[in-house]
Amino acid sequence: MIGANKIVVAAAGSGKTTYLVEEALKTRGERVLITTYTESNEAEIRQKFFELVGHIPANVVIMTWFSFLITHGVKPFQGSLFDFSITGMVLVSTQSGLRYRTRLGQPVFWPEEEIDKHYFDPSRRAFSDKLPKLAIRCTERSGGAVMDRISRVFPNIFVDEVQDLAGYDLDILTALACSSARLLMVGDPRQVTYLTHHERRHQKYADGGIVDFLRSELRKKAPIDIDETTLNRSHRNSAVICAVSSRLYPALPASQACDCDRCRAAPPPSAGLFILQKGDYDHYLSAVRPIQLRDKITSIGVDHRSLVMNFGESKGRGFDHVVILPTEPMRDWLTNPASDLKPQSRAKFYVAITRARHSVAIAMDWGAAPPPTGFALYERTAPA
């Protein structure tokens, strides 16, 4: 019997983690697995349980996606593929399993048949980019016993930040959807600042295509409810921030600001969206005290006397005021929204803008042309 499968497509600041935790609390003692890609998201889920009920219920297990794959996807059924012990996982950012390079420098990788070298480093740690495929191979070799066991151990499987999954991860989602477990996924396709790995498989669904994958591929094998309304209102961003951030993804439903009295208390005088000339940068930091958001640690223009965070690191966080140090492609997009903004840059820009509750300032020099729609030029004489 196939369980109830659902994805909730969420807007930034809509309460994804709170929603998952509240759904877990409704299970009344049934075992629940909550899994997510990053350790910071795992910690956030744990913290949300303590905020809401003061503890993590005994029936709830929280672990990262990679820990889930090792613990429940590989180890229980690894014997049919290999007989040595896995010592852990090594996180890689490029294709693993390099065998040698040709005289011209072209890489040659170990074939899949060489299991100990294709999937593992010399210390028998599984390569992170191969771990999902290894779990799928264990599933295939066991005749589906891997997913049968997982669905019996966890009748409820919740996946947070599902947009971060890629490649063979999507095959694992499909296998879980075909099991007897209830599969509940939550994510925002606009926030793909990380991917679990860069795999050719299902490549066309990378960079925010999770909903397209579910509609086009997973539905061929199992039913799934795609909910785009439950979490489409932001409890963080103002209406103007929602409007501007939504322009980055015109093909997706625009996010809306909630109308909660608590969330929509009178905004401060410094609220709004601004183009911040570089000559006014120090004044703005002093007057508004925003957090600085940058692409990476080598980004120029940062004042290290004030708080600073990378775009990807800020995902899941919220701040009253942010100032963004945009990359050149981001500046080009502000000048001309038809310019080519690569998926990763687009996602990072979306994440940066949507961290703010009240104000967003983009640090860049601007000419005589009118500022982008929704923005004003920051003036020192304006209230701050």
Side-chain angles (χ1 to χ4, degrees), residues 46-357:
R46 294 181 184 277
Q47 180 61 34
K48 185 59 66 175
F49 272 105
F50 282 103
E51 288 178 9
L52 294 182
V53 295
H55 68 286
I56 299 173
N59 65 305
V60 175
V61 175
I62 307 167
M63 61 173 59
T64 65
W65 181 252
F66 286 137
S67 294
F68 163 61
L69 293 182
I70 289 179
T71 305
H72 296 284
V74 176
K75 283 189 173 182
F77 294 92
Q78 69 182 47
S80 60
L81 288 175
F82 57 93
D83 58 5
F84 52 82
S85 296
I86 301 176
T87 60
M89 184 197 75
V90 55
L91 190 64
V92 298
S93 58
T94 59
Q95 185 176 347
S96 62
L98 179 66
R99 187 174 185 177
Y100 63 87
R101 290 186 180 275
T102 67
R103 290 181 179 179
L104 297 177
Q106 296 299 314
V108 177
F109 297 93
W110 287 102
E112 189 172 352
E113 294 73 24
E114 298 283 352
I115 289 176
D116 61 329
K117 298 179 179 66
H118 180 78
Y119 290 104
F120 301 93
D121 74 354
S123 300
R124 300 288 170 80
R125 295 178 300 174
F127 293 123
S128 61
D129 65 326
K130 302 281 179 55
L131 189 52
K133 181 167 70 170
L134 184 58
I136 286 295
R137 295 294 177 256
C138 288
T139 299
E140 293 169 346
R141 188 65 67 91
S142 67
V146 172
M147 296 302 160
D148 179 63
R149 175 185 177 276
I150 289 173
S151 63
R152 285 187 284 108
V153 174
F154 299 110
N156 303 277
I157 299 173
F158 297 173
V159 183
D160 193 15
E161 304 288 1
V162 70
Q163 76 278 350
D164 292 335
L165 304 188
Y168 281 92
D169 292 324
L170 304 185
D171 294 299
I172 293 170
L173 291 180
T174 300
L176 291 173
C178 292
S179 75
S180 61
R182 171 197 179 195
L183 177 62
L184 174 61
M185 299 168 281
V186 175
D188 184 351
R190 294 158 288 208
Q191 295 194 53
V192 187
T193 57
Y194 299 109
L195 284 176
T196 50
H197 58 291
H198 298 274
E199 167 66 53
R200 295 188 193 92
R201 185 164 179 78
H202 302 310
Q203 193 170 40
K204 68 179 181 178
Y205 298 114
D207 295 313
I210 182 66
V211 176
D212 291 336
F213 171 80
L214 299 177
R215 283 197 178 105
S216 302
E217 305 293 340
L218 189 145
R219 269 184 173 169
K220 296 176 182 176
K221 299 182 178 180
I224 182 166
D225 177 21
I226 299 175
D227 180 347
E228 296 181 304
T229 59
T230 297
L231 294 178
N232 72 338
R233 289 185 171 270
S234 177
H235 298 280
R236 178 193 305 138
N237 306 141
S238 66
V240 290
I241 293 174
C242 285
V244 168
S245 63
S246 293
R247 291 209 303 268
L248 282 160
Y249 291 91
L252 295 176
S255 59
Q256 305 291 327
C258 73
D259 53 8
C260 310
D261 291 339
R262 179 175 61 86
C263 299
R264 302 304 159 201
S270 55
L273 288 92
F274 304 99
I275 298 296
L276 177 63
Q277 305 278 6
K278 292 180 181 178
D280 294 323
Y281 195 82
D282 289 345
H283 177 271
Y284 190 80
L285 291 184
S286 176
V288 181
R289 299 189 180 279
I291 185 166
Q292 303 168 95
L293 298 181
R294 64 188 177 189
D295 184 37
K296 50 191 174 184
I297 196 169
T298 56
S299 299
I300 62 174
V302 173
D303 186 329
H304 292 284
R305 296 169 298 180
S306 299
L307 291 174
V308 60
M309 191 175 288
N310 290 354
F311 296 147
E313 181 188 4
S314 72
K315 189 167 77 167
R317 304 287 296 274
F319 308 96
D320 285 344
H321 310 283
V322 304
V323 58
I324 299 171
L325 293 137
T327 62
E328 184 176 352
M330 294 173 187
R331 293 194 296 270
D332 291 343
W333 182 85
L334 284 168
T335 304
N336 175 20
S339 65
D340 183 26
L341 191 58
K342 301 297 184 185
Q344 284 281 293
S345 293
R346 191 175 294 269
K348 288 180 178 180
F349 203 19
Y350 175 85
V351 166
I353 292 172
T354 57
R355 296 313 90 199
R357 297 184 184 93

